[in-house]
Amino acid sequence: MNEKKYTLKDKIMAMGPGLLIVGSFIGPGTVTSSTRAGANYGYDLLWCVVFSVVAVIIMQGMSARLGIVTQKGIPENLLKELKDRPFLKNFMVFLVAAAILLGGVAYMSGDLTGTALGLSALTGINTRWIAIVWGICILVLNARDNAVKWLEKLLGVCVSVMAAVFLITMFVVKPDWGAVFGGVIPSVPAGAIMTCVSLIGTTVVPYNLFIHATSSSQTWKDPAEIPLANFSTRATMIIGGIITGAIMVTSATVMHGMEVNSAIDMAEQLKPLLGDAAVPFLAVGLMAAGISSSIITPLGVSYVFAGLFGWELKKTDKRYFWTNTGIVIFGIIGASTGFNPLALIMAAQAVNGVFLPVSIFVLLFLASKASIMGEHKNGPVQVVLGVAVFAISLIIGVSSVLSLF
């Protein structure tokens, strides 16, 4: 059978699911972790960004393919595969649900804190109070679909502008490109393991793997459309990786050795291009990125729970609705604890990085099964790459836990 040929226009028009994922991970966590990595370790952790981009292309590609071929999400496929092994099925449901729930609450806390950090830089109001108010606003917005869709478009523009400014600034500050490329060689400076986990956890987000499978099954109905999904995944993830790298390179060039404790500190890297407008610009960018991510985060957790427990993907299903609401409420509690805002954001990314191997293992297992994927199962190269991503993420995650002791 001849593979259908798609034009560049066809591929660009099909980038929606990939853009949804990039919109999720280009949030306050990405800005914060990349800025702190550059300020504390220079270009040394740039390899984490490269690894994250490769990993997210491999795993999100598997996720999209699984969704298109089976027309189901990851949880539904997992339950079907393990239906004759009840103990293993219940164990995996518990493991996946716990990982996604804890990671989602942590990420939600980080999203609300990032929004509060931006607004605090403009107003001087304490971040914990702003986080509470913004969290309540998110609860209201989640109950109003039309408002969310309109707001997502506006915030998408704001985040895109912020990303473009970071990219331009990277060239304006004239980094040492030899040192930049040297940072692609893996090394972990003393005390940097948690920063590594944060950089990976903010890019390869566990619940995004689940969102991508479901959104791909809703967007594409024929395996012949897998090339469209592949283009969407590769193009958008590379763009996201370039943005993350640009933030780190800019920070490493302008701020290496500086203490970074606030949005005002993070704005220092944009002053070569924006001057006195750097602080309000970054503040608005953080707010937009935080709100955009905080709308997607409860959605991701709800998608997973709906698939695991047989709920409808509609707000009319009260279980789905209250999962959405519960994630936001627990996020508000986490964001209002009074901890250092940047430390809280970094911790949220690290939590997701620690739980990431669980989601990768489940996806790799399902996408490699001929009984599920047929001729579209993972080939030998895809299996090797997937196992490598799983092994590296597991080693880094375990190392980060051990470093706490």
Side-chain angles (χ1 to χ4, degrees):
M1 189 171 96
N2 293 327
E3 185 177 301
K4 184 177 178 180
K5 300 294 183 182
Y6 293 99
T7 65
L8 182 59
K9 181 181 177 181
D10 291 333
K11 293 177 179 179
I12 292 173
M13 294 298 291
M15 288 173 66
L19 290 172
L20 177 68
I21 302 304
V22 171
S24 173
F25 79 68
I26 299 295
T30 296
V31 178
T32 302
S33 56
S34 300
T35 299
R36 276 198 156 181
N40 292 339
Y41 305 107
Y43 308 114
D44 289 349
L45 297 183
L46 197 59
W47 68 270
C48 291
V49 178
V50 175
F51 167 74
S52 297
V53 172
V54 173
V56 82
I57 288 174
I58 293 169
M59 301 316 300
Q60 296 290 169
M62 283 186 200
S63 175
R65 181 158 38 88
L66 178 74
I68 295 169
V69 172
T70 66
Q71 288 297 293
K72 295 184 180 72
I74 294 173
E76 295 90 339
N77 279 294
L78 180 64
L79 294 179
K80 181 181 178 182
E81 183 63 23
L82 300 179
K83 64 181 180 180
D84 296 326
R85 287 174 278 183
F87 175 80
L88 183 58
K89 183 184 80 170
N90 292 333
F91 174 74
M92 289 305 299
V93 167
F94 172 79
L95 190 63
V96 171
I100 296 299
L101 178 63
L102 293 173
V105 169
Y107 216 86
M108 191 74 213
S109 298
D111 292 336
L112 292 175
T113 301
T115 306
L117 200 62
L119 193 54
S120 179
L122 294 177
T123 64
I125 300 173
N126 189 292
T127 55
R128 64 191 300 183
W129 300 116
I130 297 175
I132 293 172
V133 173
W134 272 121
I136 294 170
C137 291
I138 294 298
L139 286 173
V140 174
L141 286 169
N142 275 341
R144 300 173 63 87
D145 289 330
N146 291 336
V148 168
K149 290 175 183 177
W150 176 84
L151 185 62
E152 279 182 328
K153 290 178 182 178
L154 176 62
L155 295 174
V157 173
C158 294
V159 174
S160 299
V161 171
M162 181 179 69
V165 168
F166 270 112
L167 196 58
I168 295 168
T169 307
M170 178 179 69
F171 292 101
V172 170
V173 299
K174 297 179 180 178
D176 179 346
W177 290 106
V180 170
F181 288 113
V184 175
I185 300 172
S187 66
V188 182
I193 186 66
M194 289 303 291
T195 305
C196 288
V197 178
S198 296
L199 286 167
I200 295 169
T202 194
T203 304
V204 195
V205 183
Y207 60 73
N208 276 350
L209 297 174
F210 292 81
I211 290 177
H212 206 176
T214 302
S215 64
S216 294
S217 69
Q218 294 170 347
T219 303
W220 297 294
K221 302 299 181 183
D222 187 341
E225 296 174 301
I226 289 175
L228 290 177
N230 289 340
F231 178 84
S232 168
T233 301
R234 292 165 189 164
T236 53
M237 301 309 142
I238 288 172
I239 291 170
I242 290 172
I243 293 166
T244 305
I247 296 171
M248 186 189 294
V249 169
T250 303
S251 173
T253 305
V254 177
M255 302 174 62
H256 191 198
M258 283 181 58
E259 193 76 23
V260 181
N261 292 312
S262 68
I264 294 174
D265 293 338
M266 290 198 291
E268 190 69 28
Q269 60 191 309
L270 295 178
K271 286 187 176 178
L273 180 66
L274 300 179
D276 292 339
V279 172
F281 178 87
L282 185 66
V284 172
L286 279 172
M287 287 167 55
I291 299 170
S292 180
S293 291
S294 61
I295 290 171
I296 297 172
T297 296
L299 180 71
V301 178
S302 299
Y303 268 29
V304 177
F305 275 47
L308 288 175
F309 303 116
W311 307 342
E312 287 189 63
L313 288 173
K314 296 178 182 178
K315 289 177 183 175
T316 51
D317 189 318
K318 296 300 181 184
R319 297 163 298 183
Y320 178 85
F321 173 80
W322 284 110
T323 300
N324 252 312
T325 302
I327 294 298
V328 179
I329 291 173
F330 280 109
I332 292 171
I333 294 171
S336 61
T337 53
F339 288 117
N340 178 285
L342 293 189
L344 185 62
I345 293 172
M346 291 288 285
Q349 315 315 310
V351 167
N352 275 285
V354 169
F355 288 128
L356 178 62
V358 175
S359 299
I360 289 178
F361 174 80
V362 169
L363 176 57
L364 181 60
F365 168 73
L366 294 173
S368 301
K369 297 280 290 185
S371 58
I372 295 174
M373 300 292 289
E375 63 180 295
H376 300 286
K377 72 172 185 175
N378 284 337
V381 174
Q382 291 166 317
V383 170
V384 169
L385 291 174
V387 169
V389 170
F390 169 73
I392 294 170
S393 65
L394 182 63
I395 290 168
I396 293 175
V398 171
S399 298
S400 70
V401 173
L402 294 177
S403 72
L404 298 176
F405 302 98

